[in-house]
């Protein structure tokens, strides 16, 4: 058992291990892209399936080796990206032979996301992006409350006038999401509703103003976040506290000096 | 009287007081959301009304207790959020039994905004967002002047050509608001007008350029505002003036030292 | 002559002078806004004209007084805002009695912009906004070159396919301006052209990418500009050079001290 | 040979050399702009061709002189802008007399881009803009992976429902590019697809959220980049390390002083 673990660790750390996986992911990406062309799929469908089976096998072996290589096996699942890899490969087995070809295909496409889990710089960046999300928590809740209140009000007010946009709560929510992206909010949504209820502009203008203001502050939050991170890194280099302490010490020593001279 | 005040204060400070209110607001939100579905309302309408009566009663009691708990009663109304809570609950009584079902419903939805007044972090954030508004005052007035001038000019120039967009002053203002969000400004508004008056592009391009430039500076104002707040907080920690003063004191002491040695 | 000058200066500096002008501008704004309503104009048109004559008279007197109040009269025209005021009032006289009612009306509306020249904080802000423009000069030229090249290329390529968008150079320029605001660039402009010339997407995607990238950098320029201004103001308070110099002087003095002790 | 080199260098460094080239580029720009008008071209086409021949000749001579002026001739091609100039002029000769009039015309238009290579400040700015691109590399790859995965999934899911938008992989990519600019993403693309497949909103909302979030971070990257450059330039002036070192040296010297006094 010990030897298997050591062997696995050696394989994982081999300098060709990661590039091989990256190349396989790229081949997988190309295959799945080619499959999306009907003509190619009809003629070479069998080849695609064969190559896919080979890739899936190698990916399975890869994960087993990685699992074996991590000292306490639980450690493997502590990294979110390993869990991500594990589920992507595992799900391919679960849906194997199922009649839902589309599900299987989408799973194969999602494997391309493994580029992120395999290339360290991408992994780092995505981790950083995800880490900014919790700091935006409060403003997200605020946006959520705003969305919910405007959705319920919008449904009550406009469900009879524009059922395709405000028919049910979920329709209204989608419509509000569209409005917050400012896409056709006036020409397609507000103006037809206004033709029936002239005062409806208050609702739309209020939502656009409040929504863009909150979203703007969400964006500002992301920007400020980034700057704070950078400044923190810079401040660690500068160590201004040391300077202050050093000047403080200086003063103490001069006092001692003075006492020394006086008391002689 | 004293005992009632003390009892109220105890209730308000009880650790379960706030969570109870939050849960009631959530129930209120769910109920009002469910009401927006026609089928549910027709079948369970009575239940919704009953639960609503209960919630309204508890909210009323809550506000009375809070009112009693604040030492000089006026203090309660000094906090804008308390006033907000008070009016939301009071208005439900005012419109009670009125034939405007929609008004009552909207009042019930607006109660969901109480999430903000109840959860401290949300309250703080909204307070902060509102506080940034006055610092944007000057640029708001500028935007207002620009809007008004372009509205009057637009009405004079295009009211015969495109009455649905420029018919009256208020129509033009709404249209300009749509243009500043860049929604269909060219395809739906400028191009049809240009088909009649070819020179009208000057008006639209001028407004888009001036408008987006001013709005951009409004956004920059918000961003700069946020950074200044953060920098102020950081500078309070650093205390660079102390450092300078300390160095200055140092120099004085060394001068004394020199005199001491010289005069011996 | 001297007495007139002194009298004028007294009037200009009177604490009620500026508020009176602001109120007159507001009345002018309201009148011109009311005129845009057909019904009001037909019934009260004469009144509007009378009030306008009074306001114009007062504005003329105001400018004459201001002119008299400035010691060397040329100084009055050194401030761009005074020139602005002068031309707005003067133009009303030039076009007086002309058959172009719309021109006269627009001149009357533009007077509302005098709010900016009269209220100091607005004046300052607009001055600041205008001052940021020259620092954006280089990127503006770059944007101009890009616009021109894409316009000529677009006209050559698509003038037969979509004459309403790319018929002549000026049409293409307006279309490119619309594309840079991302308004209907794909649905109304690119897709119909692509239906004829499938490769045309290269032109549009290239322009959208290059355009938004340059405009983004223009925006970043505005933001950076604002921050630099703020930092400059802050640095003037901090005077870090003094600190460094003070420490340097300290070191010198200690050296002297050492020599003093050694040489005793 | 030596004399030719010296003569060329003298010409290149002459103060009228650069302005002449700029004026020629402007004339070239105007000519090519006028050519885009059918009427002008039919009447004055010969003149345009003659002026173009003259300009091309002068540009050729210019490049030959510049080539001769650079000491080791290879040095000329080390500057990307020289290569750019060389290819633009060379290509005009390659396509000379070819039947593709449009290609020749576009080459003539692209010469206007030489404004950038000739005016130093523009050259510097474009160099700076291009230099920011590699630092955005990681987020570009991330965006690429996201685009590819969503393209393949979109093609599989919606190719039968909306072939004009999701027919093939390249169609879907263009559609996703349109969606990321938020242009008609809901009204023209999502809503028609939703009419067939109600759950398709998940795909679109997910892409809009993920896409705008990543693009936002791309923008933030550009802004942060610009600030870091500025701060670096400022820090080089401040030299805070020197200050710290100086204080450190001060302390050492005082220690020596103390020892000096003690040991006497």
């Amino acid at each position: 058992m010990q030897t298997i673990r050591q062997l696995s660790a050696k394989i994982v750390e081999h300098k060709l291990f990661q590039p091989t996986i990256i190349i396989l992911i790229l081949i997988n990406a190309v295959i799945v892209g080619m499959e999306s062309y009907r003509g190619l799929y009809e003629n070479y469908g069998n080849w695609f399936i064969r190559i896919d089976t080979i890739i899936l096998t190698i990916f399975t072996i890869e994960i087993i080796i990685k699992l074996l290589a991590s000292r306490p096996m639980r450690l493997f699942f502590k990294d979110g990206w390993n869990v991500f890899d594990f589920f992507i490969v595992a799900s391919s087995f679960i849906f194997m032979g199922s009649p839902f070809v589309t599900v299987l295909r989408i799973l194969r496409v999602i494997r391309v996301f493994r580029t992120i889990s395999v290339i360290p710089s991408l992994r780092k960046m995505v981790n950083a992006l995800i880490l900014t999300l919790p700091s935006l928590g409060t403003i997200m809740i605020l946006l959520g409350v705003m969305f919910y209140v405007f959705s319920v009000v919008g449904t009550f007010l406009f469900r009879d006038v524009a059922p395709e946009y405000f028919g049910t709560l979920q329709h209204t929510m989608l419509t509000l999401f569209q409005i917050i992206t400012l896409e056709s909010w006036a020409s397609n949504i507000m103006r037809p509703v206004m033709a029936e209820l002239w005062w409806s502009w208050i609702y739309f203008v209020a939502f656009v103003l409040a929504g863009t203001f909150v979203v703007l502050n969400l964006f500002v939050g992301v920007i400020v976040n980034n700057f704070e991170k950078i400044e923190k890194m810079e401040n660690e280099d500068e160590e201004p506290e040391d300077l202050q302490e050093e000047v403080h010490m200086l003063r103490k020593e001069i006092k001692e000096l003075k006492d020394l001279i006086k008391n002689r």
Side-chain angles (χ1 to χ4, degrees), chain A:
Chain A
M1 189 60 198
Q2 189 64 22
T3 46
I4 292 171
R5 193 171 279 175
Q6 279 175 344
L7 188 72
S8 316
K10 238 181 206 164
I11 294 170
V12 169
E13 279 151 24
H14 194 277
K15 63 176 177 178
L16 284 177
F17 183 76
Q18 203 208 355
T20 316
I21 301 299
I22 293 174
I23 287 163
L24 280 171
I25 293 169
L26 287 180
I27 293 171
N28 179 68
V30 171
I31 293 293
V32 107
M34 285 163 82
E35 252 190 82
S36 76
Y37 293 91
R38 280 247 171 64
L40 282 172
Y41 185 65
E42 271 154 25
N43 292 320
Y44 305 101
N46 284 337
W47 279 101
F48 293 154
I49 292 167
R50 267 171 230 165
I51 296 172
D52 180 61
T53 314
I54 296 167
I55 290 176
L56 181 59
T57 315
I58 300 176
F59 279 0
T60 314
I61 294 168
E62 180 217 343
I63 285 183
I64 291 169
I65 290 175
K66 274 192 175 168
L67 239 169
L68 291 171
S70 55
R71 292 300 149 104
M73 231 172 247
R74 288 163 298 138
L75 215 86
F76 177 81
F77 291 102
K78 281 232 166 140
D79 186 347
W81 289 110
N82 283 337
V83 177
F84 175 79
D85 285 358
F86 183 82
F87 273 102
I88 279 178
V89 172
S91 58
S92 294
F93 285 102
I94 293 164
F95 286 92
M96 196 163 263
S98 85
F100 308 111
V101 188
T102 318
V103 173
L104 264 170
R105 263 181 192 154
I106 288 172
L107 282 171
R108 229 143 72 202
V109 185
I110 285 173
R111 270 185 224 155
V112 179
F113 274 135
R114 287 205 57 205
T115 338
I116 299 166
S117 70
V118 169
I119 301 176
S121 66
L122 274 179
R123 204 166 162 164
K124 241 168 139 179
M125 165 155 279
V126 174
N127 282 340
L129 289 185
I130 291 170
L131 274 176
T132 61
L133 290 180
S135 76
L136 303 171
T138 323
I139 212 161
M140 294 290 221
I141 295 171
L142 185 66
L143 202 63
V145 171
M146 217 184 77
F147 244 80
Y148 190 77
V149 171
F150 270 93
S151 291
V152 179
V153 171
T155 312
F156 280 138
L157 294 177
F158 309 129
R159 64 181 165 193
D160 299 320
V161 178
E164 74 273 39
Y165 289 118
F166 297 97
T168 65
L169 202 57
Q170 58 267 40
H171 276 85
T172 314
M173 278 179 168
L174 193 59
T175 303
L176 289 184
F177 183 70
Q178 178 181 342
I179 291 176
I180 227 167
T181 66
L182 298 178
E183 203 274 286
S184 301
W185 74 270
S187 53
N188 278 5
I189 303 175
M190 184 184 70
R191 288 191 187 274
V193 171
M194 266 180 80
E196 299 281 323
L197 309 163
W198 67 267
W199 47 265
S200 63
W201 66 268
I202 301 165
Y203 174 86
F204 292 103
V205 171
F207 185 70
V208 167
L209 282 178
T212 50
F213 186 67
V214 171
V215 167
L216 166 70
N217 275 284
L218 196 85
F219 281 15
V220 170
V222 173
I223 296 172
V224 168
N225 242 3
N226 272 281
F227 274 87
E228 281 185 333
K229 236 180 281 162
I230 289 161
E231 283 198 3
K232 222 177 246 168
M233 277 158 57
E234 281 179 357
N235 282 345
E236 280 168 10
D237 298 351
E238 285 183 12
E239 299 168 300
E241 289 174 34
D242 277 2
L243 178 65
Q244 188 154 9
E245 194 156 297
E246 198 137 7
V247 171
H248 195 78
M249 296 289 279
L250 235 169
R251 216 171 140 193
K252 264 193 190 163
E253 272 184 274
I254 288 185
K255 270 218 177 112
E256 286 174 30
L257 230 176
K258 234 155 103 180
D259 294 340
L260 214 107
I261 295 177
K262 272 188 191 159
N263 301 336
R264 276 224 308 200

